[in-house]
Amino acid sequence: EKLKLARDLNVRFPPDENSAPAQVYRSGESQWVREITNDMLDTGTPDPEYRAILKSLGLRSVMIVPLTARNTRVGVMTFIYAESGRLYNEDDVAFAEDLASRAAIAADNARLFEEAQHARAEAERREHEEAALRKATESMAATFSVNDIIQEIARSALDATRADGSFVERVSPDGERIVVVATAGDICPEVGASVPFEGSVAQYILEKKQPQVVESLGQLTTPLPGTLAETHATSAAIAVPLIDAGEAIGALVLLRGERNAAFTPDEAKRAHTFGNLASLAFRKVHLLEASEQRSRELEQLMESRTRLVRGFSHDVKNPLGAADGHASLLEDGMIGELTPPQLNSVSRIRNGIATAVSLINDLVELARAESGQIVLKKQPVDVREIAREIVEQYRPAAEQAGLSIKGELGAVEIVSTDADRARQVLGNLLSNAVKYTPSGGSIVVVTGMREKTVVIDVVDTGIGIPADKLNVLFTEFERIDPTVKPGMGLGLAISRAIARLLGGDVTVSTERGRGSTFTLCLPKV
Ligand code: ADP
């Protein structure tokens, strides 16, 4: 009964800062009252009720000693004699002080031990979290579809935070709802469950751009997806915003069942880091998907172009074939004898038709090359020979245009290439040189080696090309000034594509009004 009384006393009149234990605690000096007299109680305790309790306890003698460990005060210890009537003497005080200092050290050791335990547990937790985060980073870096990445976010977030459940919600495309798209762990709503975006936790955190810690789901007044609110009302949660370059993607929600500890603000911070990582991965995948989409579209475009070219070539080649048939009847004298000049004209007609047909064939083949199906007939070729032939082939046209033409044919190494294709490219360059050089100018075809590459320059003194147009020069159907000469704007595009198929290239250096040099280079092997 006296113990109960003593406890009540402590509760109703807790020692304040002027009390004896507080003084001992502050000073580190023991206090000892050998014999407590009624006088002392009467003068020392103004509160009558307090005094009455003290008296009824029958206190006779008291010692209060400090608990000091490693220079730190951890508390005080009070010894009291009551109904035994005994009194503490000096030896008792010395004994009590010794006992208190041992007790203090024991208590401090226990505290240090607990701290060490805690630190070890914390280190283990961090290690686990870091490993999980590392794994998450790796797998996110290796993931290539948005669905995969979202699933990965849910799964690895669960792992990294040792939560009991996790799910990812996405804002629907119309922005009206927030829908569960991936889940992991034991506590989570059903995939597909949704709530209106307006007024949802997701909306709140996406606006705040900060995670939110929820002590128990039951507290929330906002709607939760599926049956979560009923089935897991006591679970704790962290909701992390997922934001991709300013655009709200959705939220990552981590859940912990009632038996496990609630989430701390520190954990919310780590979950946020995780959310940022997830958003980053999401962005990467988004970009990747966009670029895949673009290349798919490009492929489709190429394919439809190839089809177009094939259809077109078929339609054009038929009437050309008929025209050539009639020209050959004329040539053979089937429709009457022709004079030599007439015969000459007819043969030019047939040459023209042949050139057109071969160009169409080339176009078709180029289209095939673009879809990866051209056949090259490579053989050892002396490019000088081709250059010589081509100069002779274009001499009549050049002379007719009032241009001088010559070859400066330096020695070149033999290359393995498709001679017909090389001829086709050079033919294109020369026909352009003739076309775009005003009368009185000159054309020179130069062969030589530049480093380990065979190069053929077609140099003209023509109209040149403005510097700002150089980038479109090799693009199909692009012409610098359509009024200068007729043409389709196909020649250079085809030439470059073929040169590249041969492993080389066509390049240009030019100056407006002074002339151009188009160069075909071919690799030795
Ligand atoms: P096309 O000659 O049928 O127009 P090309 O693809 O051969 O098509 O050439 C594209 C454009 O490049 C030409 O329209 C012309 O403006 C310019 N070009 C080509 N070769 C020369 C050249 N040697 N000198 C000046 N301009 C040229």
Side-chain angles (χ1 to χ4, degrees):
E1 265 172 23
K2 277 196 175 161
L3 274 176
K4 190 176 167 301
L5 214 60
R7 281 200 198 99
D8 276 357
L9 187 79
N10 246 336
V11 173
R12 285 170 56 195
F13 302 95
D16 63 12
E17 58 186 31
N18 297 317
S19 64
Q23 286 171 17
V24 173
Y25 183 83
R26 274 197 304 274
S27 66
E29 297 291 323
S30 304
Q31 289 191 17
W32 162 45
V33 181
R34 191 172 172 281
E35 183 159 18
I36 301 170
T37 60
N38 271 347
D39 257 13
M40 278 178 182
L41 292 177
D42 287 339
T43 52
T45 44
D47 190 296
E49 200 188 343
Y50 185 44
R51 199 182 320 132
I53 300 177
L54 280 185
K55 281 188 177 164
S56 67
L57 281 172
L59 308 180
R60 289 297 314 279
S61 180
V62 63
M63 318 184 274
I64 306 173
V65 293
L67 290 170
T68 307
R70 302 180 177 96
N71 295 327
T72 309
R73 195 105 51 245
V74 297
V76 298
M77 208 167 166
T78 303
F79 299 81
I80 292 169
Y81 274 142
E83 60 272 270
S84 68
R86 278 185 266 179
L87 305 175
Y88 291 115
N89 59 29
E90 284 92 342
D91 288 347
D92 291 328
V93 175
F95 178 74
E97 282 176 342
D98 186 43
L99 181 70
S101 80
R102 285 164 200 262
I105 286 176
D108 199 49
N109 282 348
R111 182 184 61 79
L112 289 177
F113 180 71
E114 261 176 25
E115 264 178 25
Q117 291 279 76
H118 187 75
R120 188 171 318 130
E122 178 68 11
E124 270 170 20
R125 193 194 55 66
R126 266 182 196 281
E127 205 175 299
H128 171 86
E129 184 185 277
E130 265 163 34
L133 217 61
R134 209 168 28 247
K135 221 177 104 217
T137 317
E138 279 163 14
S139 55
M140 280 189 195
T143 308
F144 292 108
S145 89
V146 168
N147 285 343
D148 287 354
I149 204 89
I150 288 175
Q151 189 52 56
E152 190 57 41
I153 292 171
R155 211 192 49 70
S156 47
L158 179 88
D159 218 32
T161 56
R162 296 198 204 197
D164 297 323
S166 103
F167 64 97
V168 176
E169 306 174 288
R170 269 193 89 175
V171 182
S172 64
D174 60 9
E176 294 284 321
R177 300 188 72 78
I178 178 111
V179 189
V180 175
V181 287
T183 63
D186 300 329
I187 305 180
C188 48
E190 310 73 46
V191 169
S194 78
V195 293
F197 183 59
E198 189 71 37
S200 64
V201 178
Q203 184 193 31
Y204 178 80
I205 54 162
L206 282 165
E207 273 168 15
K208 284 261 182 282
K209 297 186 171 58
Q210 288 296 329
Q212 201 197 3
V213 181
V214 179
E215 269 169 36
S216 79
L217 292 180
Q219 296 176 339
L220 289 176
T221 50
T222 46
L224 291 172
T227 53
L228 206 57
E230 297 97 71
T231 51
H232 294 98
T234 51
S235 293
I238 304 181
V240 183
L242 298 179
I243 298 169
D244 167 29
E247 189 197 333
I249 308 168
L252 161 70
V253 182
L254 297 165
L255 296 160
R256 222 173 246 171
E258 57 180 318
R259 268 168 299 137
N260 296 327
F263 291 103
T264 62
D266 208 36
E267 282 177 313
K269 223 188 283 164
R270 284 198 291 270
H272 198 192
T273 312
F274 193 83
N276 288 343
L277 171 73
S279 303
L280 212 70
F282 190 86
R283 173 154 196 73
K284 182 205 90 173
V285 168
H286 224 64
L287 289 174
L288 212 70
E289 287 199 339
S291 89
E292 268 170 13
Q293 171 70 14
R294 270 199 299 280
S295 68
R296 261 198 305 278
E297 280 168 8
L298 202 70
E299 241 167 57
Q300 274 167 6
L301 199 76
M302 288 296 224
E303 238 181 74
S304 68
R305 217 180 62 158
T306 309
R307 268 203 308 280
L308 190 80
V309 168
R310 281 204 186 132
F312 159 83
S313 72
H314 187 255
D315 289 351
V316 174
K317 268 162 78 179
N318 277 347
L320 281 177
D324 191 53
H326 282 285
S328 102
L329 288 179
L330 281 175
E331 200 171 41
D332 294 346
M334 299 296 211
I335 303 170
E337 277 303 308
L338 299 185
T339 62
Q342 284 171 329
L343 265 178
N344 189 21
S345 281
V346 170
S347 111
R348 278 173 191 238
I349 289 169
R350 295 200 67 194
N351 276 342
I353 291 172
T355 311
V357 169
S358 86
L359 178 69
I360 289 165
N361 287 341
D362 287 344
L363 250 173
V364 173
E365 253 176 356
L366 177 69
R368 278 208 202 105
E370 281 173 347
S371 47
Q373 350 158 326
I374 199 169
V375 184
L376 292 174
K377 286 169 283 176
K378 286 202 179 178
Q379 60 204 45
V381 173
D382 183 351
V383 172
R384 256 200 312 189
E385 280 311 311
I386 297 184
R388 205 190 318 273
E389 277 170 33
I390 215 96
V391 167
E392 290 320 311
Q393 191 183 329
Y394 278 85
R395 186 176 298 284
E399 281 171 358
Q400 201 171 10
L403 306 172
S404 73
I405 183 167
K406 65 170 177 179
E408 280 177 10
L409 307 176
V412 290
E413 288 180 36
I414 301 292
V415 289
S416 164
T417 194
D418 186 323
D420 288 339
R421 298 289 166 196
R423 229 175 257 127
Q424 184 186 351
V425 174
L426 284 178
N428 268 331
L429 299 183
L430 266 159
S431 90
N432 277 348
V434 172
K435 232 160 110 179
Y436 299 107
T437 306
S439 172
S442 70
I443 297 171
V444 186
V445 177
V446 186
T447 58
M449 297 295 298
R450 209 164 286 154
E451 286 173 3
K452 287 187 174 155
T453 317
V454 173
V455 292
I456 308 104
D457 291 325
V458 178
V459 188
D460 67 43
T461 58
I463 60 174
I465 297 145
D468 62 334
K469 292 286 165 52
L470 283 178
N471 55 339
V472 297
L473 206 60
F474 293 93
T475 310
E476 286 102 317
F477 304 111
E478 288 286 352
R479 308 196 65 222
I480 307 305
D481 181 358
T483 60
V484 179
K485 289 277 165 155
M488 290 283 284
L490 274 172
L492 285 180
I494 292 172
S495 301
R496 172 169 270 182
I498 291 175
R500 288 187 175 172
L501 279 175
L502 296 175
D505 204 354
V506 175
T507 53
V508 64
S509 84
T510 173
E511 202 180 319
R512 184 160 211 190
R514 309 201 66 157
S516 314
T517 299
F518 281 86
T519 304
L520 166 64
C521 56
L522 293 170
K524 250 173 39 186
V525 198

